[in-house]
């Protein structure tokens, strides 16, 4: 069944933030080493990142047993086509991280290499460049129609990877409500042959809180991870409109505008969301960890029965509301403080369908 964890593998995703591993290989090794040292136990990788070997070296040097670290990775695009080819890709991804280490040292079933969670990175064919390609070429009607035609084969391959023990859980990334609707119907249709979606990793930050989508996912038992949760914070703090009401709300929490980054992480964790973040500064790594622990300690929900939300949570809610309403929202759009690829995936619709913006 979907909920069964193989012997010696983590039974639940750590409540701490995930450490992002995108970036130059030489820098990432030091960041992962520092992260593991200060207590991170969840690493976020991807087939398209070049940092697998650096992560593997840092993991080996840390002395932390593999079975105590949750590894999330992402397959480049929809894994359609021949299963043997998809399997070979995942084995290559695993070999990069696990290097020459003997399989027996890694724990897990018969010491096999595995990811705790494997996601489909984005709802398009493999090989798109999420750094330099024009995002407008990713939100056309034909893109969504291609997705609808190919998700079945792709998800069956994901299920097969799970059955073969290469991945403990399967999920998606950059899937919005229109994608989820298609995938949910497919999982129901597959019945016994299906495995439900474990997680969805999305672009979520203070100006793009994705309230409805997060609620929908949480309600159906899907874990939510937030990528780039702090990327645009420097842009937001210069938006004039946030100074008044937000500063007042922060003052009530005993905080100021300079301390926004950890507060946003605390707010995400309190919403039950796992932020994916990174820093070359060890003090920041520790601060991010502490902020998420504080948020998780709020009980994972903003509305604890009979209790008011914490002043920090309330302050970030004011920030989010301000950033989403005019004129601040127009300013955010004007300065381009949004992940344009996430925006493109969010806008994917079948021709003739009218999507809400």
């Amino acid at each position: 069944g979907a909920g069964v964890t193989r012997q010696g593998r983590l039974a639940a995703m750590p409540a701490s933030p995930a450490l992002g591993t995108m970036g130059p290989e030489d820098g990432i090794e030091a960041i992962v080493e520092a992260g593991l040292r200060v207590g991170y136990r969840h690493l976020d990788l991807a087939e398209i990142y070049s940092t697998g070997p650096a992560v593997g070296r840092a993991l080996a040097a840390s002395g932390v047993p593999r079975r105590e670290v949750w590894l999330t990775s992402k397959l480049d695009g929809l894994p359609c086509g021949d299963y043997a080819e998809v399997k070979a890709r995942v084995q290559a991804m695993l070999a990069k991280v696990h290097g020459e280490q003997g399989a027996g040292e890694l724990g897990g079933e018969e010491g096999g290499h595995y990811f705790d969670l494997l996601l489909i990175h984005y709802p398009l064919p493999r090989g798109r460049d999420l750094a330099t390609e024009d995002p407008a070429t990713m939100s056309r009607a034909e893109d969504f129609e291609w997705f609808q035609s190919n998700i079945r084969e792709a998800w069956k391959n994901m299920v097969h990877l799970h059955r073969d023990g290469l991945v403990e859980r399967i999920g998606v990334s950059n899937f919005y409500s229109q994608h989820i609707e298609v995938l949910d119907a497919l999982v129901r249709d597959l019945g016994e042959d299906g495995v439900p979606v474990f997680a969805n990793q999305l672009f979520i930050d203070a100006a793009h809180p994705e309230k409805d989508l997060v609620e929908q996912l949480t309600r159906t038992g899907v874990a939510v991870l937030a990528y780039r949760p702090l990327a645009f914070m420097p842009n937001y703090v210069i938006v004039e409109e946030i100074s008044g009401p937000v500063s007042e709300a922060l003052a009530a929490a005993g905080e100021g505008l300079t301390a926004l980054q950890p507060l946003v992480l605390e707010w995400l964790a309190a919403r039950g969301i796992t932020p994916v973040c990174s820093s070359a500064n060890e003090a920041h790594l520790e601060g991010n960890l502490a902020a998420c622990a504080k948020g998780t300690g709020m009980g994972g929900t903003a509305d604890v029965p009979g209790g008011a939300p914490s002043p920090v949570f309330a302050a970030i809610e004011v920030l989010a509301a301000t950033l989403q309403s005019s004129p601040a929202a127009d300013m955010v759009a004007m300065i381009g403080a949004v992940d344009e690829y996430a925006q493109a995936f969010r806008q994917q619709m079948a021709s003739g369908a009218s999507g809400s913006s």
Side-chain angles (χ1 to χ4, degrees), residues 75 78-91 126 150 152-158 160-161 164 166:
L75 266 172
L78 253 58
C80 335
D82 178 30
Y83 173 67
E85 194 190 317
V86 173
K87 183 177 182 177
R89 280 167 62 190
V90 175
Q91 285 171 324
R126 175 187 186 185
N150 289 277
R152 185 182 187 94
E153 186 178 65
W155 195 250
K156 283 174 90 168
N157 279 339
M158 294 291 281
H160 203 154
L161 290 165
D164 280 353
L166 292 170

Side-chain angles (χ1 to χ4, degrees), residues 7-9 66-67 103-114:
Q7 183 95 31
R9 300 187 181 185
R66 162 66 186 96
R67 63 180 173 275
E105 298 163 33
L106 290 161
E109 192 178 42
E110 296 151 12
H113 299 331
Y114 64 97

Side-chain angles (χ1 to χ4, degrees), residues 110-185:
E110 296 151 12
H113 299 331
Y114 64 97
F115 288 121
D116 294 273
L117 173 60
L118 184 69
L119 310 175
I120 295 174
H121 204 149
Y122 54 90
L124 284 173
R126 175 187 186 185
R128 302 303 292 264
D129 186 341
L130 303 187
T132 61
E133 235 177 291
D134 178 3
T137 62
M138 301 188 185
S139 58
R140 301 164 309 191
E142 56 262 40
D143 295 315
F144 188 63
E145 284 154 14
W146 181 89
F147 165 80
Q148 288 173 300
S149 308
N150 289 277
I151 183 62
R152 185 182 187 94
E153 186 178 65
W155 195 250
K156 283 174 90 168
N157 279 339
M158 294 291 281
V159 170
H160 203 154
L161 290 165
H162 168 72
R163 299 249 193 275
D164 280 353
L166 292 170
V167 301
E168 203 53 49
R169 295 158 197 83
I170 53 179
V172 296
S173 176
N174 293 303
F175 276 42
Y176 288 84
S177 48
Q178 68 275 28
H179 305 103
I180 297 293
E181 207 177 300
V182 174
L183 185 49
D184 280 352

Side-chain angles (χ1 to χ4, degrees), residues 218-282:
T218 309
R219 199 173 52 240
T220 52
V222 177
V224 181
L225 294 95
Y227 71 81
R228 302 193 79 193
L230 304 174
F232 299 106
M233 285 312 296
N235 306 77
Y236 300 151
V237 293
I238 60 168
V239 174
E240 203 179 326
E241 288 73 27
I242 77 164
S243 53
V246 177
S247 295
E248 276 167 44
L250 284 167
E255 301 284 358
L257 281 173
T258 50
L260 272 177
Q261 299 204 351
L263 302 185
V264 167
L265 296 180
E266 187 178 326
W267 167 76
L268 287 168
R271 292 174 61 197
I273 296 168
T274 299
V276 180
C277 46
S278 184
S279 175
N281 176 321
E282 196 164 322

Side-chain angles (χ1 to χ4, degrees), residues 32 43 48 72 75-76 101 105 126 140 146 200 205 284 286 331 333 345 350:
V32 174
L43 306 177
I48 61 174
T72 293
L75 266 172
D76 183 15
Q101 282 179 292
E105 298 163 33
R126 175 187 186 185
R140 301 164 309 191
W146 181 89
N200 191 356
D205 73 356
H284 286 173
E286 288 188 50
M331 181 68 176
F345 299 133

Side-chain angles (χ1 to χ4, degrees), residues 19-21 27-37 43 54-55 58-59:
L19 187 65
T21 65
I28 292 298
E29 189 169 345
I31 288 172
V32 174
E33 270 189 42
L36 290 167
R37 189 165 56 244
L43 306 177
V55 171
L59 196 51

Side-chain angles (χ1 to χ4, degrees), residues 270 294-301 304:
K294 237 196 240 172
T296 307
M298 288 180 199
T301 58
V304 184

